[in-house]
Amino acid sequence: MKARLGIAPIAWWNDDLAELSDDVSLEECLRQASVAGFTGMETGRRFPMDAALLSPILASYGVSVCGGWFSGLLLDGEIAVEKDRVAAQMAFFKAAGAPCIVYGETARSIQGDRSRPLSQKPKLSEDEIAAYGRKMTAFGEWCAEQGMPLAYHHHMAAAIETEPELDLFMKHSGEGIPLLYDAGHMAFAGGDVLRVIDKHHARISHVHTKDVRRRVIDGLDRTRESFLDAVVKGAFTVPGDGDLDFEAIVKRLAGYGYEGWFVVEAEQDPKVSPPLDMARIGHKELLRVMDAAGYQVEA
C-alpha cells in the first residue's frame, strides 16, 4: 500500500480571508512545506498558473502539484460553459503532472460570505440533486477523457455538505465523478466519518486530512455565525492537533485499498497557529498513522 503526503497553502494564505494569511512568498511556503516533510502541494493564489514557470520552483524544493481547487458553477450553469472555465487550469495541471482537479461547487454556496450564517446554506430537493448529479457525472467524464480527472469536494456551507446530501449525490451520480473525502468537513457537518468511507470508498480518489476542534464547532451559533467565523475561531487544524481519530480513518481507507494522496488542508490563523509548526505536527501524525495502517509513504 503506497501513500503520498501533501499539504495545501491555505495554512499560509487564505483566499477568502486575507487577514488570515502569512506574509510569505511562494518560495518560503514551499520551503516550509518541504522542511516539514511534505512532497506535494496543492495550488493557491500565489502560484503562477504556468507549468514552465512553476515546475523549476517546485523542483528546487522537491515538491510536486498534488491537486488544487476549481470553483465550479455547474449547479446553476451549463456543461459547455464549465468546459471553457476549466480549460486553462486543466492544461496547467496536465503539464504539471497533477493527479486531479479538486471540484468545489460554489454556485449558491455561502462558504465565502461572512455575513451569511451556516443555517442559510443552500438546500436541494432529491430531484434537484439528481439533476445536478447527472450534470456532474457528464462533466467529470469529459474531464477524465481530456486526461485530467476531477475529485468532487463535499464542503461546509455548500449544496452538498451533510452526510445525507452526499449520499443522495453519490446515489444520483456515477463513477465519472470521483469523490474527494474530507474528514474535517464531514465531521463539521455532523456526519459519521467512518460510515461515509464504508458507503463511498469505491469512488474516493483523493483525501484531505483536515482535523477539527470539536469545542469550537460545538460552541458555534449556526443561526448567527458563518463558515468563515468558524475558521477564524479555529474550527480546523492539522492531524495530531484536533479531535478526529486519524489512525482509525486511515486504517479504514487502507482496508478498502485506497492508495494515493493524503493532503493536509487546515485553514487557521497563521499568527495563532504558525504554519511551519502546524505542518510539522500534521506530518508527524500522518507518518505515525500511515505506519499503523501499513502504508509505505513515498518520498
Side-chain angles (χ1 to χ4, degrees):
M1 298 286 293
K2 296 185 183 301
R4 303 182 73 182
L5 304 185
I7 193 166
I10 199 166
W12 286 268
W13 327 299
N14 192 301
D15 290 352
D16 293 319
L17 283 173
E19 62 266 34
L20 294 190
S21 297
D22 235 354
D23 186 22
V24 300
S25 64
L26 169 63
E27 288 79 4
E28 178 59 15
C29 172
L30 292 170
R31 186 194 71 80
Q32 291 185 20
S34 179
V35 166
F38 292 97
T39 59
M41 175 74 81
E42 291 196 350
T43 54
R45 72 171 187 265
R46 295 186 182 178
F47 279 65
M49 300 297 276
D50 182 333
L53 294 175
L54 182 61
S55 293
I57 300 172
L58 293 173
S60 66
Y61 296 99
V63 172
S64 63
V65 175
C66 62
W69 178 273
F70 171 71
S71 294
L73 297 171
L74 196 56
L75 177 60
D76 293 326
E78 299 299 329
I79 292 175
V81 175
E82 292 302 282
K83 287 179 179 180
D84 290 339
R85 292 186 65 243
V86 80
Q89 185 170 343
M90 179 180 287
F92 163 58
F93 272 35
K94 288 167 67 176
C100 65
I101 289 175
V102 174
Y103 183 98
E105 185 60 61
T106 56
R108 306 190 210 175
S109 173
I110 60 169
Q111 66 200 62
D113 186 347
R114 200 167 180 181
S115 71
R116 302 282 299 280
L118 286 159
S119 60
Q120 293 183 10
K121 73 165 291 294
K123 294 180 175 61
L124 306 179
S125 68
E126 182 168 358
D127 286 345
E128 289 175 311
I129 291 176
Y132 175 54
R134 289 191 293 271
K135 283 203 292 185
M136 280 304 318
T137 301
F139 184 54
E141 289 172 346
W142 177 82
C143 289
E145 289 168 0
Q146 309 311 303
M148 181 47 57
L150 300 178
Y152 186 89
H153 194 338
H154 58 95
H155 201 286
M156 284 300 300
I160 306 299
E161 171 195 275
T162 67
E163 184 178 347
E165 288 168 343
L166 179 59
D167 289 345
L168 286 174
F169 177 77
M170 298 298 280
K171 172 185 174 182
H172 293 293
S173 61
E175 293 181 2
I177 181 65
L179 177 66
L180 183 155
Y181 171 74
D182 190 310
H185 277 278
M186 186 50 62
F188 194 158
D192 184 313
V193 297
L194 297 179
R195 186 170 61 213
V196 168
I197 297 172
D198 290 338
K199 289 185 291 190
H200 305 305
H201 60 88
R203 298 259 296 275
I204 295 173
S205 67
H206 202 60
V207 174
H208 276 178
T209 54
K210 183 197 295 287
D211 209 336
V212 297
R213 296 184 177 99
R214 289 201 181 275
R215 61 175 176 74
V216 175
I217 290 172
D218 292 345
L220 292 169
D221 181 348
R222 300 192 185 205
T223 66
R224 294 191 309 105
E225 294 180 284
S226 68
F227 173 71
L228 293 180
D229 289 333
V231 171
V232 170
K233 285 188 168 186
F236 296 130
T237 187
V238 299
D241 188 55
D243 295 308
L244 294 181
D245 183 350
F246 271 96
E247 182 173 335
I249 290 167
V250 171
K251 283 182 174 178
R252 190 64 59 92
L253 288 164
Y256 288 113
Y258 174 81
E259 292 187 282
W261 284 100
F262 291 83
V263 181
V264 174
E265 189 207 28
E267 60 267 47
Q268 49 190 325
D269 187 341
K271 297 180 181 63
V272 176
S273 301
L276 177 56
D277 294 344
M278 290 291 102
R280 283 175 163 149
I281 292 169
H283 190 267
K284 180 180 179 181
E285 176 66 1
L286 286 182
L287 285 182
R288 184 188 73 79
V289 301
M290 293 294 154
D291 182 63
Y295 279 105
Q296 176 185 343
V297 176
E298 295 185 335

